[in-house]
Amino acid sequence: MNGKAGTAIRLVDCAKTFPNGTRALDKTSLEMRGGETIVFLGPSGCGKTTLLRVIAGLESPDEGGRVYFDDEDVTSQPIEHRNVGMVFQSYALFPNMNVGDNIAYGLKVHGVAPDKRARRVDEMLRMMQISELRERRITELSGGQRQRVALARAIAVQPRVLLLDEPLTALDALLRERLRIEIDVLLHSLGITAAYVTHDQGEAMAIGDRIAVMNKGAIVQTGSPREIYYKPASSFVADFIGTMNRVTGTLRGGALELPGGRIDWADQQGSGEMQVLFRPNDARIVEEAGAPLRGVVEQQFFLGDRTRLHVTGVADRTVVVETTEHREFRVGQSIGLRIEPGALLRLRD
Amino acid sequence: MRRTPYFWLQLAFTLLVCSFLLVPVFMSIVAGLTENFFVGVKSGFTTRWIGVVWELYAPTIFRSMYIALATLAVTLVVGVPAAYVLAKRPGMATRLIEEFLVLPVAIPGLAIALALIITYGGFRDFRTSWGFILVGHVLYTLPFMVRSVLAVLSSFNFQVLEESAASLGAGFWRRFFGIVLPNARSGIVAGALTVVTLSIGEFNLTWMMHTPETMTLPVGLADSYASMRLEIGSAYTLVFFIMITPLLVALQRYGVQSTRTRKGA
């Protein structure tokens, strides 16, 4: 048990082709700083779980790929020698053992003496706030409790890296939110390097120090949640994370002309027709008189913390606008909009 | 609740069917304990015939027991890992192998016995040893063990359990004995009871394969029916009953239990 917090992980040219010829992962290189939480985000089948399994040692990369933990080349090490902690969507707790024995399992395998083992199990139970569950059978636990036990079991051995494969997907929304916060706090208080796989962009934004967005077996963009959200590198990323408006306008005389008005855009080069993107919360609702853009409310959705409007007439297609204002809108009502040029995005693809 | 005439009719029918099945069993037991069955129970009860059975056929009883245990040992050592491998690699090939494994159940025991005799009959020492019977029994019971274990292994995702054990540092053997086997226990026990019960009661194959030195209990039964007094044959049946009933009860109870735990998991 020589695990220390903050192992840096480096993948070099890791691809994965399965025996049946399916290419699950294209050549991928990636660096994870020690103590960093990185989220692999993407739709199902994008290769995110395969990437996680390559790091874990459950899959070996194709010829030429290498995996480093700090400076140690672990490519040929099977998972049992890598000292990684894993948390699965299905929890994967051992049904033949009670909660305490599940948490103690890794310690036992590592040859930790019984008294030290018991102390560590106590510590883990306290940390996850499940001390009263120690003697329980796994079948008697709720989903949230199971995932807490699974986390405790993975962390107990002080792994070099913690790998979480859709750990919250099987839980209901409220519990997911709560455990998400707990996991976030836990990962940062431990200072452990963590890789987290999810298809839920909200989860990715909340937990990741960095997000690696994946599609069709490749990482298409890596960056902080903010970068990914506001500076998507491709239309895939833009569409996958949150809602993105995509409108076509004409650039003329330092402004972008749209059917519903114009957006001053002095520093934009070129002219002619172009496609731009903007987030729903980047379109502000303003007084109709003198508004640079005008449209008509087609539908409104009250979401509690904000109101989402579908507005026609602004652009060549319906745009989505979100506001945190408390006012109510009517369908058919005309409204004014302002979009700052800084919020507009042009994508190459 | 008022019972309708229809209910009483059903009850009567059920009891009739039950008695149709149970009376012969009861008669057989009585015959084994009666001084003279042709005179009837008024000739008095005795355990004499059981003594005679013991004198004549004790070796067949012990032989049946150790062949059953040996069959169990072989099916455990071969069948459990086989089921594990089959569960781990699902696919066309696996399905085919599974079907092949089940074939001996579908083929008449006599035909299998004949095939074994044709093939191995030349090896005199083997042919006349109880090991020859063992081979037949293993062939016949192995599918039951494999199927039973396979069913349990397919009922939970043991591969992800193995992966999580591996991530915690456990090597293959530790995972197999510490995680896979304990969680497949219900299937292994159910399979084991089936194998022992089938082996003890196996007649078809064994009748064809046995030599006077390798006679088992069921073959002995046939022998006693053919050549002994009715009371002796019946007493022998009684002995067989006493041996097989606890196993059947255990099988029943464990079968019920394991389906319950699986539902709970």
Side-chain angles (χ1 to χ4, degrees), chain A residues 200-224:
Chain A
D200 181 322
Q201 42 116 352
E203 215 169 285
M205 306 272 251
I207 277 192
D209 294 325
R210 263 198 307 156
I211 297 175
V213 184
M214 297 187 68
N215 188 30
K216 293 180 184 156
I219 295 178
V220 289
Q221 187 177 6
T222 315
S224 70

PDB file of all heavy atoms in Angstrom, chain A residues 200-224:
ATOM      1  N   ASP A 200     -23.654  12.341 -18.843  1.00  0.00           N
ATOM      2  CA  ASP A 200     -24.491  13.436 -18.346  1.00  0.00           C
ATOM      3  C   ASP A 200     -23.657  14.708 -18.266  1.00  0.00           C
ATOM      4  O   ASP A 200     -22.746  14.817 -17.441  1.00  0.00           O
ATOM      5  CB  ASP A 200     -25.022  13.025 -16.968  1.00  0.00           C
ATOM      6  CG  ASP A 200     -25.924  14.090 -16.356  1.00  0.00           C
ATOM      7  OD1 ASP A 200     -25.639  15.296 -16.520  1.00  0.00           O
ATOM      8  OD2 ASP A 200     -26.890  13.710 -15.693  1.00  0.00           O
ATOM      9  N   GLN A 201     -23.961  15.686 -19.113  1.00  0.00           N
ATOM     10  CA  GLN A 201     -23.109  16.869 -19.172  1.00  0.00           C
ATOM     11  C   GLN A 201     -23.169  17.693 -17.893  1.00  0.00           C
ATOM     12  O   GLN A 201     -22.179  18.291 -17.495  1.00  0.00           O
ATOM     13  CB  GLN A 201     -23.464  17.705 -20.397  1.00  0.00           C
ATOM     14  CG  GLN A 201     -24.944  17.837 -20.646  1.00  0.00           C
ATOM     15  CD  GLN A 201     -25.409  19.252 -20.524  1.00  0.00           C
ATOM     16  OE1 GLN A 201     -24.652  20.133 -20.117  1.00  0.00           O
ATOM     17  NE2 GLN A 201     -26.658  19.481 -20.872  1.00  0.00           N
ATOM     18  N   GLY A 202     -24.335  17.675 -17.221  1.00  0.00           N
ATOM     19  CA  GLY A 202     -24.451  18.418 -15.963  1.00  0.00           C
ATOM     20  C   GLY A 202     -23.491  17.857 -14.927  1.00  0.00           C
ATOM     21  O   GLY A 202     -22.795  18.612 -14.219  1.00  0.00           O
ATOM     22  N   GLU A 203     -23.455  16.541 -14.860  1.00  0.00           N
ATOM     23  CA  GLU A 203     -22.555  15.863 -13.937  1.00  0.00           C
ATOM     24  C   GLU A 203     -21.098  16.192 -14.288  1.00  0.00           C
ATOM     25  O   GLU A 203     -20.285  16.475 -13.408  1.00  0.00           O
ATOM     26  CB  GLU A 203     -22.788  14.358 -14.108  1.00  0.00           C
ATOM     27  CG  GLU A 203     -22.671  13.537 -12.856  1.00  0.00           C
ATOM     28  CD  GLU A 203     -23.194  12.139 -13.134  1.00  0.00           C
ATOM     29  OE1 GLU A 203     -24.418  11.994 -13.217  1.00  0.00           O
ATOM     30  OE2 GLU A 203     -22.385  11.216 -13.292  1.00  0.00           O
ATOM     31  N   ALA A 204     -20.801  16.162 -15.571  1.00  0.00           N
ATOM     32  CA  ALA A 204     -19.435  16.430 -16.020  1.00  0.00           C
ATOM     33  C   ALA A 204     -18.994  17.832 -15.628  1.00  0.00           C
ATOM     34  O   ALA A 204     -17.890  18.047 -15.119  1.00  0.00           O
ATOM     35  CB  ALA A 204     -19.347  16.253 -17.537  1.00  0.00           C
ATOM     36  N   MET A 205     -19.879  18.803 -15.829  1.00  0.00           N
ATOM     37  CA  MET A 205     -19.549  20.201 -15.523  1.00  0.00           C
ATOM     38  C   MET A 205     -19.323  20.366 -14.026  1.00  0.00           C
ATOM     39  O   MET A 205     -18.456  21.109 -13.591  1.00  0.00           O
ATOM     40  CB  MET A 205     -20.700  21.116 -15.934  1.00  0.00           C
ATOM     41  CG  MET A 205     -21.115  20.943 -17.347  1.00  0.00           C
ATOM     42  SD  MET A 205     -20.150  21.986 -18.398  1.00  0.00           S
ATOM     43  CE  MET A 205     -21.359  23.136 -18.820  1.00  0.00           C
ATOM     44  N   ALA A 206     -20.144  19.682 -13.224  1.00  0.00           N
ATOM     45  CA  ALA A 206     -20.071  19.871 -11.784  1.00  0.00           C
ATOM     46  C   ALA A 206     -18.833  19.223 -11.189  1.00  0.00           C
ATOM     47  O   ALA A 206     -18.246  19.739 -10.236  1.00  0.00           O
ATOM     48  CB  ALA A 206     -21.325  19.302 -11.126  1.00  0.00           C
ATOM     49  N   ILE A 207     -18.419  18.097 -11.726  1.00  0.00           N
ATOM     50  CA  ILE A 207     -17.358  17.321 -11.080  1.00  0.00           C
ATOM     51  C   ILE A 207     -15.981  17.544 -11.689  1.00  0.00           C
ATOM     52  O   ILE A 207     -14.974  17.517 -10.999  1.00  0.00           O
ATOM     53  CB  ILE A 207     -17.745  15.822 -11.106  1.00  0.00           C
ATOM     54  CG1 ILE A 207     -18.684  15.547  -9.938  1.00  0.00           C
ATOM     55  CG2 ILE A 207     -16.540  14.930 -11.075  1.00  0.00           C
ATOM     56  CD1 ILE A 207     -18.936  14.128  -9.648  1.00  0.00           C
ATOM     57  N   GLY A 208     -15.929  17.817 -12.994  1.00  0.00           N
ATOM     58  CA  GLY A 208     -14.639  17.825 -13.661  1.00  0.00           C
ATOM     59  C   GLY A 208     -13.809  19.076 -13.426  1.00  0.00           C
ATOM     60  O   GLY A 208     -14.330  20.186 -13.501  1.00  0.00           O
ATOM     61  N   ASP A 209     -12.532  18.886 -13.108  1.00  0.00           N
ATOM     62  CA  ASP A 209     -11.596  20.000 -13.223  1.00  0.00           C
ATOM     63  C   ASP A 209     -11.394  20.248 -14.712  1.00  0.00           C
ATOM     64  O   ASP A 209     -11.267  21.377 -15.163  1.00  0.00           O
ATOM     65  CB  ASP A 209     -10.246  19.645 -12.588  1.00  0.00           C
ATOM     66  CG  ASP A 209     -10.370  19.454 -11.097  1.00  0.00           C
ATOM     67  OD1 ASP A 209     -11.176  20.167 -10.482  1.00  0.00           O
ATOM     68  OD2 ASP A 209      -9.667  18.580 -10.555  1.00  0.00           O
ATOM     69  N   ARG A 210     -11.351  19.122 -15.401  1.00  0.00           N
ATOM     70  CA  ARG A 210     -11.260  19.194 -16.850  1.00  0.00           C
ATOM     71  C   ARG A 210     -12.225  18.183 -17.438  1.00  0.00           C
ATOM     72  O   ARG A 210     -12.495  17.155 -16.836  1.00  0.00           O
ATOM     73  CB  ARG A 210      -9.845  18.845 -17.313  1.00  0.00           C
ATOM     74  CG  ARG A 210      -9.003  20.098 -17.567  1.00  0.00           C
ATOM     75  CD  ARG A 210      -7.810  19.776 -18.412  1.00  0.00           C
ATOM     76  NE  ARG A 210      -7.016  18.677 -17.899  1.00  0.00           N
ATOM     77  CZ  ARG A 210      -6.225  17.938 -18.697  1.00  0.00           C
ATOM     78  NH1 ARG A 210      -6.167  18.180 -19.984  1.00  0.00           N
ATOM     79  NH2 ARG A 210      -5.513  16.965 -18.187  1.00  0.00           N
ATOM     80  N   ILE A 211     -12.717  18.480 -18.627  1.00  0.00           N
ATOM     81  CA  ILE A 211     -13.612  17.555 -19.311  1.00  0.00           C
ATOM     82  C   ILE A 211     -12.965  17.170 -20.629  1.00  0.00           C
ATOM     83  O   ILE A 211     -12.435  18.026 -21.334  1.00  0.00           O
ATOM     84  CB  ILE A 211     -14.986  18.216 -19.584  1.00  0.00           C
ATOM     85  CG1 ILE A 211     -15.673  18.557 -18.259  1.00  0.00           C
ATOM     86  CG2 ILE A 211     -15.870  17.305 -20.421  1.00  0.00           C
ATOM     87  CD1 ILE A 211     -16.978  19.314 -18.434  1.00  0.00           C
ATOM     88  N   ALA A 212     -12.963  15.893 -20.918  1.00  0.00           N
ATOM     89  CA  ALA A 212     -12.545  15.434 -22.232  1.00  0.00           C
ATOM     90  C   ALA A 212     -13.803  14.945 -22.938  1.00  0.00           C
ATOM     91  O   ALA A 212     -14.386  13.942 -22.539  1.00  0.00           O
ATOM     92  CB  ALA A 212     -11.522  14.312 -22.119  1.00  0.00           C
ATOM     93  N   VAL A 213     -14.236  15.700 -23.934  1.00  0.00           N
ATOM     94  CA  VAL A 213     -15.442  15.308 -24.662  1.00  0.00           C
ATOM     95  C   VAL A 213     -15.040  14.297 -25.725  1.00  0.00           C
ATOM     96  O   VAL A 213     -14.064  14.508 -26.456  1.00  0.00           O
ATOM     97  CB  VAL A 213     -16.125  16.521 -25.324  1.00  0.00           C
ATOM     98  CG1 VAL A 213     -17.423  16.099 -25.996  1.00  0.00           C
ATOM     99  CG2 VAL A 213     -16.386  17.597 -24.291  1.00  0.00           C
ATOM    100  N   MET A 214     -15.769  13.188 -25.767  1.00  0.00           N
ATOM    101  CA  MET A 214     -15.405  12.133 -26.705  1.00  0.00           C
ATOM    102  C   MET A 214     -16.532  11.866 -27.687  1.00  0.00           C
ATOM    103  O   MET A 214     -17.698  11.998 -27.364  1.00  0.00           O
ATOM    104  CB  MET A 214     -15.076  10.850 -25.940  1.00  0.00           C
ATOM    105  CG  MET A 214     -13.878  11.022 -25.022  1.00  0.00           C
ATOM    106  SD  MET A 214     -13.361   9.467 -24.282  1.00  0.00           S
ATOM    107  CE  MET A 214     -12.755   8.584 -25.718  1.00  0.00           C
ATOM    108  N   ASN A 215     -16.128  11.468 -28.890  1.00  0.00           N
ATOM    109  CA  ASN A 215     -17.098  11.077 -29.897  1.00  0.00           C
ATOM    110  C   ASN A 215     -16.450  10.079 -30.845  1.00  0.00           C
ATOM    111  O   ASN A 215     -15.318  10.272 -31.273  1.00  0.00           O
ATOM    112  CB  ASN A 215     -17.576  12.312 -30.674  1.00  0.00           C
ATOM    113  CG  ASN A 215     -18.715  11.982 -31.602  1.00  0.00           C
ATOM    114  OD1 ASN A 215     -19.511  11.078 -31.339  1.00  0.00           O
ATOM    115  ND2 ASN A 215     -18.799  12.705 -32.712  1.00  0.00           N
ATOM    116  N   LYS A 216     -17.145   9.015 -31.133  1.00  0.00           N
ATOM    117  CA  LYS A 216     -16.686   7.997 -32.085  1.00  0.00           C
ATOM    118  C   LYS A 216     -15.250   7.557 -31.829  1.00  0.00           C
ATOM    119  O   LYS A 216     -14.418   7.530 -32.742  1.00  0.00           O
ATOM    120  CB  LYS A 216     -16.828   8.512 -33.510  1.00  0.00           C
ATOM    121  CG  LYS A 216     -18.290   8.700 -33.900  1.00  0.00           C
ATOM    122  CD  LYS A 216     -18.410   9.216 -35.307  1.00  0.00           C
ATOM    123  CE  LYS A 216     -19.863   9.506 -35.659  1.00  0.00           C
ATOM    124  NZ  LYS A 216     -19.991  10.476 -36.730  1.00  0.00           N
ATOM    125  N   GLY A 217     -14.938   7.258 -30.581  1.00  0.00           N
ATOM    126  CA  GLY A 217     -13.643   6.680 -30.267  1.00  0.00           C
ATOM    127  C   GLY A 217     -12.502   7.668 -30.165  1.00  0.00           C
ATOM    128  O   GLY A 217     -11.345   7.262 -30.099  1.00  0.00           O
ATOM    129  N   ALA A 218     -12.789   8.955 -30.141  1.00  0.00           N
ATOM    130  CA  ALA A 218     -11.698   9.931 -30.049  1.00  0.00           C
ATOM    131  C   ALA A 218     -12.083  11.070 -29.105  1.00  0.00           C
ATOM    132  O   ALA A 218     -13.256  11.398 -28.956  1.00  0.00           O
ATOM    133  CB  ALA A 218     -11.378  10.487 -31.431  1.00  0.00           C
ATOM    134  N   ILE A 219     -11.061  11.652 -28.474  1.00  0.00           N
ATOM    135  CA  ILE A 219     -11.299  12.854 -27.683  1.00  0.00           C
ATOM    136  C   ILE A 219     -11.375  14.020 -28.658  1.00  0.00           C
ATOM    137  O   ILE A 219     -10.446  14.259 -29.428  1.00  0.00           O
ATOM    138  CB  ILE A 219     -10.156  13.088 -26.672  1.00  0.00           C
ATOM    139  CG1 ILE A 219     -10.134  11.946 -25.646  1.00  0.00           C
ATOM    140  CG2 ILE A 219     -10.331  14.432 -25.968  1.00  0.00           C
ATOM    141  CD1 ILE A 219      -9.020  12.047 -24.624  1.00  0.00           C
ATOM    142  N   VAL A 220     -12.498  14.740 -28.658  1.00  0.00           N
ATOM    143  CA  VAL A 220     -12.645  15.829 -29.623  1.00  0.00           C
ATOM    144  C   VAL A 220     -12.302  17.178 -29.010  1.00  0.00           C
ATOM    145  O   VAL A 220     -11.995  18.128 -29.711  1.00  0.00           O
ATOM    146  CB  VAL A 220     -14.048  15.866 -30.256  1.00  0.00           C
ATOM    147  CG1 VAL A 220     -14.226  14.691 -31.203  1.00  0.00           C
ATOM    148  CG2 VAL A 220     -15.131  15.847 -29.191  1.00  0.00           C
ATOM    149  N   GLN A 221     -12.358  17.278 -27.693  1.00  0.00           N
ATOM    150  CA  GLN A 221     -11.935  18.524 -27.046  1.00  0.00           C
ATOM    151  C   GLN A 221     -11.649  18.260 -25.576  1.00  0.00           C
ATOM    152  O   GLN A 221     -12.359  17.500 -24.920  1.00  0.00           O
ATOM    153  CB  GLN A 221     -13.015  19.597 -27.165  1.00  0.00           C
ATOM    154  CG  GLN A 221     -12.548  20.954 -26.649  1.00  0.00           C
ATOM    155  CD  GLN A 221     -13.593  22.046 -26.832  1.00  0.00           C
ATOM    156  OE1 GLN A 221     -14.722  21.780 -27.243  1.00  0.00           O
ATOM    157  NE2 GLN A 221     -13.217  23.274 -26.522  1.00  0.00           N
ATOM    158  N   THR A 222     -10.594  18.909 -25.078  1.00  0.00           N
ATOM    159  CA  THR A 222     -10.286  18.833 -23.662  1.00  0.00           C
ATOM    160  C   THR A 222     -10.204  20.249 -23.122  1.00  0.00           C
ATOM    161  O   THR A 222      -9.618  21.116 -23.764  1.00  0.00           O
ATOM    162  CB  THR A 222      -8.918  18.148 -23.433  1.00  0.00           C
ATOM    163  OG1 THR A 222      -8.854  17.005 -24.266  1.00  0.00           O
ATOM    164  CG2 THR A 222      -8.757  17.711 -21.993  1.00  0.00           C
ATOM    165  N   GLY A 223     -10.800  20.482 -21.976  1.00  0.00           N
ATOM    166  CA  GLY A 223     -10.717  21.824 -21.403  1.00  0.00           C
ATOM    167  C   GLY A 223     -11.514  21.903 -20.129  1.00  0.00           C
ATOM    168  O   GLY A 223     -12.177  20.936 -19.726  1.00  0.00           O
ATOM    169  N   SER A 224     -11.447  23.060 -19.482  1.00  0.00           N
ATOM    170  CA  SER A 224     -12.226  23.256 -18.260  1.00  0.00           C
ATOM    171  C   SER A 224     -13.703  23.280 -18.653  1.00  0.00           C
ATOM    172  O   SER A 224     -14.032  23.529 -19.806  1.00  0.00           O
ATOM    173  CB  SER A 224     -11.839  24.571 -17.599  1.00  0.00           C
ATOM    174  OG  SER A 224     -12.315  25.644 -18.390  1.00  0.00           O
TER     175      SER A 224
END
